[in-house]
Every structure is written in structure tokens, then in C-alpha cells.
Amino acid sequence: HWDLGMWRVPTLLGCPHCCGATPYPCVPQGKVPASSILASAPSDRNLDAWRDLGCRTTHCNLEVLQESTLVFLATKPHVLPGVLQEIRPAVGPHHLVVSLAAGVTLQKLQRLLPAGTKVLRLMPNLPCVVQAGAMVFARGSGASDEDAALLQNLLTSCGLCEEVPESYINIHTGLSGSGVAYVYLFAEALAEGAVKMGMPGGLAGRIAAQTLLGAAKMMLETGEHPAKLRGDVCTPGGTTIHGLHQLEKGALRAAVMNAVEAATQRACDVGED
């Protein structure tokens, strides 16, 4: 489930008509009108939130294909083959199909859809709902440069969005999809350290969050390697190097690398299940 916040971007989604000679809507400035979004799910439990935001909803997946040219498939991996079998008769050359299902390869998507279908595989992460996400996508053999540009234009306003080789998508899952949870754990530990030293929990949590935000912004805006930025904070005999020594004793870097590796491997395993 993606919150409507994901769609505060300069394009139209699920538009039943095309603009000009291109098979997709053009990309105007502004936000996606909620009325341009048609969401489908088996039960109202997953659709109530979409309706509350002003989106149109249906229980019929084929209706989405009939009314839209750009279709996002946001299902669990084991559910997706059944959904593809259902919508296959309605998929045409004008559709651009974007799958968010973890582990489901482009090869499998193309095998389960009509030959020549324009397919892309996208992996977002949770902060997309606050327009600070990290997304990567790969395109199938039928998708063109224009198709890739359309998806990237749509999603750039939700955060960082880059086209990558498909082999990177499972790595992205371990790095960024799961990595958000690693960061939350680290933020919690930072705040709890401050609480231990006497700072109120609410204040400690806010400062920890702002610390992570500021550090990330410096990495993105300066382009410097994190080791260089870390060195800039350290002074001989100062507070930071003493703290870093304790993190090295706890093998923080090795633990995080192992976590990325384990999550990446699990993403690969999901695709083989």
C-alpha cells in the first residue's frame, strides 16, 4: 500500500486519455489529482484509506487496465502471478506496467504478460510517503527510453530515483528498503544514549532525527565520501574519536555490512520461492 503522498508529483496517474501523439499523459507541473487515481484491491479494508483521500476505487483489476495507461502492481510476490493471469487479456501495447513485487524478475513478468508488453520493475522504500524516498528501477526489453523517463519524472518528486541494472534491485532492497529500519534502530540507540545521560526522551528523539537528516543532507549535497565527512568531525583527543572508538569495539561497520548482505540474500531467495 502506498499513501497518496507518493503521488504528489508532476504527472497524471491512471488518466484514461492521452495527450498529443504520445501514448502517455504529458507531465505538467503540479500534483496528481486524487480523482485521477484508480486503486483496486480485493476488500474495502485496503481501499478505505484511498477513498478518504479522494481516489476512485474498485474491486475489479480489469477496470484499472481499461481506464489507465500507467499501471502499478503493488502486491505480495506470491499474489502477483495470479493477478497477472487475470489482467493479461486486457494488457495492450499502450500500457506501461510497473511492478513493485519484491523478487519477481523482469524475465518472469515478461513471460506472464503478452509479448512486447512494456514492463518496468521498481523498488521504492518507506520514506517515499514523505517525498524523501530512495527508488531504483529497471526496464524490460519492451520499454523504451521514453517509458523510463516517464517513470523517473513521475517519481523524482518522491525522492531519489535512478535507473539501474536489474541485478542491483535486490541489493537496493538490502541497502535502502531494509536499511530504513537499520537507521531507525541507530536513531533509537542515539536517543537512548542521551536519555541515559540525562536528556528527556522527546528532545533526544528530535535531536537524533535531525542529526541523521543533517548528516544525510551533507553527504548528498557535498558529494564527499562519508569517511571524509566523518574525519572532518573528529579532532585530536576530542569527544567524537572517543565515541567512534566505542563503535569500533562493537564492530558497528561489520554488523551493518552483514545486515545488508543478509537482507539482499533474502530478497534473492524470495524471488526463487
Side-chain angles (χ1 to χ4, degrees), residues 175-192:
L175 167 65
S176 187
S178 299
V180 173
Y182 314 155
V183 173
Y184 290 148
L185 183 64
F186 183 68
E188 181 184 14
L190 277 179
E192 287 181 344

Side-chain angles (χ1 to χ4, degrees), residues 164-180:
V164 299
E166 187 180 16
S167 60
Y168 291 4
I169 289 184
N170 287 337
I171 303 173
H172 172 79
T173 301
L175 167 65
S176 187
S178 299
V180 173

Side-chain angles (χ1 to χ4, degrees), residues 212-227:
L212 295 175
L213 178 65
K217 188 172 183 181
M218 285 198 69
M219 282 182 63
L220 289 171
E221 293 191 0
T222 66
E224 296 280 7
H225 192 281

Side-chain angles (χ1 to χ4, degrees), residues 5-41:
M6 270 294 292
W7 307 120
R8 292 173 183 167
V9 289
T11 188
L12 295 178
L13 179 68
C15 178
H17 302 293
C18 301
C19 298
T22 61
Y24 305 114
C26 59
V27 183
Q29 295 298 317
K31 298 179 180 180
V32 174
S35 59
S36 294
I37 298 171
L38 177 60
S40 174

Side-chain angles (χ1 to χ4, degrees), residues 70-255:
L70 177 57
V71 180
F72 288 86
L73 302 173
T75 74
K76 295 292 186 182
H78 70 278
V79 173
L80 187 58
V83 173
L84 293 175
Q85 184 177 12
E86 177 190 3
I87 68 172
R88 179 186 172 97
V91 175
H94 61 293
H95 286 117
L96 181 60
V97 179
V98 182
S99 171
L100 284 70
V104 182
T105 66
L106 286 168
Q107 183 181 21
K108 185 171 184 178
L109 291 166
Q110 291 173 152
R111 187 174 72 246
L112 294 174
L113 288 167
T117 298
K118 292 174 281 193
V119 180
L120 296 104
R121 183 180 169 196
L122 170 69
M123 187 53 61
N125 69 349
L126 182 59
C128 287
V129 301
V130 292
Q131 286 73 61
M135 296 155 283
V136 297
F137 71 92
R139 67 173 104 164
S141 58
S144 66
D145 290 346
E146 290 182 354
D147 299 325
L150 174 71
L151 184 66
Q152 192 162 24
N153 286 337
L154 172 67
L155 295 178
T156 295
S157 293
C158 300
L160 177 70
C161 182
E162 297 198 11
E163 183 174 6
V164 299
E166 187 180 16
S167 60
Y168 291 4
I169 289 184
N170 287 337
I171 303 173
H172 172 79
T173 301
L175 167 65
S176 187
S178 299
V180 173
Y182 314 155
V183 173
Y184 290 148
L185 183 64
F186 183 68
E188 181 184 14
L190 277 179
E192 287 181 344
V195 170
K196 178 182 178 181
M197 301 312 297
M199 182 178 285
L203 177 61
R206 292 193 298 276
I207 293 176
Q210 185 64 34
T211 300
L212 295 175
L213 178 65
K217 188 172 183 181
M218 285 198 69
M219 282 182 63
L220 289 171
E221 293 191 0
T222 66
E224 296 280 7
H225 192 281
K228 165 65 166 58
L229 295 172
R230 173 172 53 82
D232 290 343
V233 182
C234 293
T235 56
T239 61
T240 305
I241 193 63
H242 278 74
L244 287 171
H245 188 199
Q246 294 302 314
L247 294 177
E248 292 291 355
K249 286 181 181 179
L252 174 69
R253 285 191 286 185

